[in-house]
């Protein structure tokens, strides 16, 4: 079964459009990852404040030491899950959070020293409380900045994705239009113009030839054993033979000529400004080329040629005359003849 690559290409482009949509989150994922431990860090700061408040009112040295250890544990969790958390490094460096956390740890170490020495802890507790407050404000600013950054990246990625989708849709639309145009005027097997285009160009060419009193010629090439070939060959070999013949046929003519496949077995070329003598010379040249290139072909070919020209003031029945001349033409037999 022959694949329709046009449909496959369009389908792949449409799939690409669908796949692009989830990438919006991917571009903003880094910002969202950095916010992963913010909530637990805020909870640890709350625990720190609570433990510090209890410590400030506690008189038992043993209990004070236990509270100081719980504060140290919370600080360790904050350092691990916030300060040293890799997705958060950019923001920690930007806001100087590591320095602020270092001040908080230093204040806690002084608090532990006063507890161990059994001295007054009021001033040390106050310093730790001040550092916790400062670090909490810093954390709030960072969280707000991260949220804004994540949303901005998400919006930007959405805009870029939308633009890319619009561009892809434009390409899909253009591609479909080109394919539609191609299938409208081209024969899909040989790549030559089709019958619909031939009729349009022939009519316009006849009108221009009559209006400007210029010659117009037509050459037809017919495969007389077309049906037999189609039955005896597989599809790939049959289409390959048609392509080879159409290539040989089209190379005989000028760029200004319109070369077509007007039905399964018949090719035609509209030659404006070519007189009957000119088209006769082209016909002889074509016959020579066919003999040289296809005489040793393994495929049997029986070809007929018909030519006609309108270069007078009479009705321009060029197609009918070419068909009539082709019927009177003694078919050229090429290739293997059983």
């Amino acid at each position: 079964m022959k694949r329709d690559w046009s449909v496959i290409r369009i389908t792949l482009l449409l799939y690409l459009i669908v796949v692009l949509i989830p990438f919006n989150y991917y571009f903003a994922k880094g910002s969202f990852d950095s916010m992963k431990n913010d909530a637990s860090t805020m909870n640890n700061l709350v625990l720190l404040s609570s433990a510090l408040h209890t410590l400030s009112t506690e008189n038992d040295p043993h209990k004070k030491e236990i509270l100081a250890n719980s504060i140290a544990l919370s600080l360790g969790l904050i350092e691990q899950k916030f300060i040293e958390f890799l997705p958060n490094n950019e923001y920690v460096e930007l806001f100087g959070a590591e320095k602020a956390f270092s001040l908080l740890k230093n204040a806690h170490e002084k608090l532990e020293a006063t507890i161990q020495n059994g001295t007054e802890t009021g001033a040390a507790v106050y310093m730790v409380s001040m550092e916790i407050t400062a670090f909490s404000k810093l954390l709030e600013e960072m969280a707000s900045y991260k949220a804004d950054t994540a949303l901005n990246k998400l919006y930007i990625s959405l805009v870029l994705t939308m633009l890319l989708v619009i561009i892809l849709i434009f390409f899909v639309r253009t591609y479909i239009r080109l394919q539609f145009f191609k299938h409208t005027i081209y024969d899909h097997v040989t790549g030559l113009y089709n019958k619909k285009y031939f009729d349009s160009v022939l009519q316009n060419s006849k009108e221009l030839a009559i209006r400007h009193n210029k010659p117009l010629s037509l050459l037809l090439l017919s495969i007389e054993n077309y049906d037999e070939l189609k039955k005896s060959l597989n599809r790939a070999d049959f289409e390959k033979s048609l392509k080879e013949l159409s290539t040989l046929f089209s190379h005989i003519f000028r760029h200004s000529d319109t070369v077509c496949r007007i039905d399964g077995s018949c090719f035609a070329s509209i030659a404006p400004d070519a007189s009957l003598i000119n088209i006769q010379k082209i016909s002889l040249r074509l016959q020579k080329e066919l003999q040289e290139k296809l005489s040793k072909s393994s495929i049997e070919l029986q070809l007929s040629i018909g030519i006609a020209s309108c270069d007078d003031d009479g009705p321009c029945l060029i197609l009918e005359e070419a068909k009539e001349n082709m019927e009177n033409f003694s078919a050229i037999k090429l290739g293997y003849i059983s």
Side-chain angles (χ1 to χ4, degrees), residues 185-200:
I185 68 169
Y186 287 100
D187 173 63
H188 71 282
V189 175
T190 62
L192 302 178
Y193 292 113
N194 60 18
K195 179 66 163 60
K196 182 178 180 181
Y197 188 76
F198 170 80
D199 291 338
S200 174

Side-chain angles (χ1 to χ4, degrees), residues 41-49 78 104 132 135-136 139:
T41 302
M42 290 297 294
N43 288 335
N44 282 316
L45 285 172
V46 172
L47 291 174
L48 278 175
S49 298
I78 292 172
L104 176 56
I132 290 174
F135 191 75
S136 297
L139 182 60

Side-chain angles (χ1 to χ4, degrees), residues 160-175:
L160 292 177
T161 303
M162 287 175 64
L163 289 174
L164 189 56
V165 168
I166 290 171
I167 293 171
L168 282 173
I169 290 173
F170 172 78
F171 279 117
V172 169
R173 181 177 176 274
T174 304
Y175 186 77

Side-chain angles (χ1 to χ4, degrees), residues 149-305:
T149 302
L151 287 174
N152 288 337
K153 288 183 177 179
L154 187 60
Y155 291 149
I156 291 171
S157 65
L158 276 170
V159 170
L160 292 177
T161 303
M162 287 175 64
L163 289 174
L164 189 56
V165 168
I166 290 171
I167 293 171
L168 282 173
I169 290 173
F170 172 78
F171 279 117
V172 169
R173 181 177 176 274
T174 304
Y175 186 77
I176 291 174
R177 184 178 178 183
L178 289 174
Q179 289 300 316
F180 178 77
F181 179 73
K182 179 180 178 181
H183 289 297
T184 300
I185 68 169
Y186 287 100
D187 173 63
H188 71 282
V189 175
T190 62
L192 302 178
Y193 292 113
N194 60 18
K195 179 66 163 60
K196 182 178 180 181
Y197 188 76
F198 170 80
D199 291 338
S200 174
V201 172
L202 181 61
Q203 182 61 34
N204 290 336
S205 298
K206 288 197 294 185
E207 291 176 359
L208 287 172
I210 294 170
R211 184 183 306 156
H212 299 290
N213 194 26
K214 289 185 177 181
L216 173 67
S217 295
L218 178 68
L219 187 148
L220 301 181
L221 175 67
S222 176
I223 306 172
E224 298 300 323
N225 61 332
Y226 179 84
D227 293 333
E228 291 83 351
L229 283 176
K230 192 172 184 180
K231 291 177 182 177
S232 62
L233 299 175
N234 61 52
R235 182 171 180 174
D237 290 339
F238 179 67
E239 291 186 353
K240 181 181 178 181
S241 299
L242 289 176
K243 289 178 182 177
E244 289 176 353
L245 182 59
S246 66
T247 301
L248 180 59
F249 180 70
S250 61
H251 284 176
I252 295 293
F253 299 94
R254 304 166 299 178
H255 291 295
S256 58
D257 299 336
T258 304
V259 183
C260 312
R261 184 187 181 193
I262 59 176
D263 64 33
S265 63
C266 189
F267 300 92
S269 178
I270 303 170
D273 298 325
S275 65
L276 182 59
I277 295 175
N278 296 138
I279 204 67
Q280 286 173 343
K281 290 179 180 179
I282 293 174
S283 174
L284 293 173
R285 182 185 169 196
L286 175 60
Q287 292 177 54
K288 183 179 178 181
E289 288 287 328
L290 292 171
Q291 291 286 355
E292 289 179 356
K293 300 292 177 60
L294 301 177
S295 60
K296 296 182 180 179
S297 173
S298 59
I299 298 172
E300 176 187 338
L301 280 175
Q302 297 179 29
L303 305 173
S304 294
I305 297 175

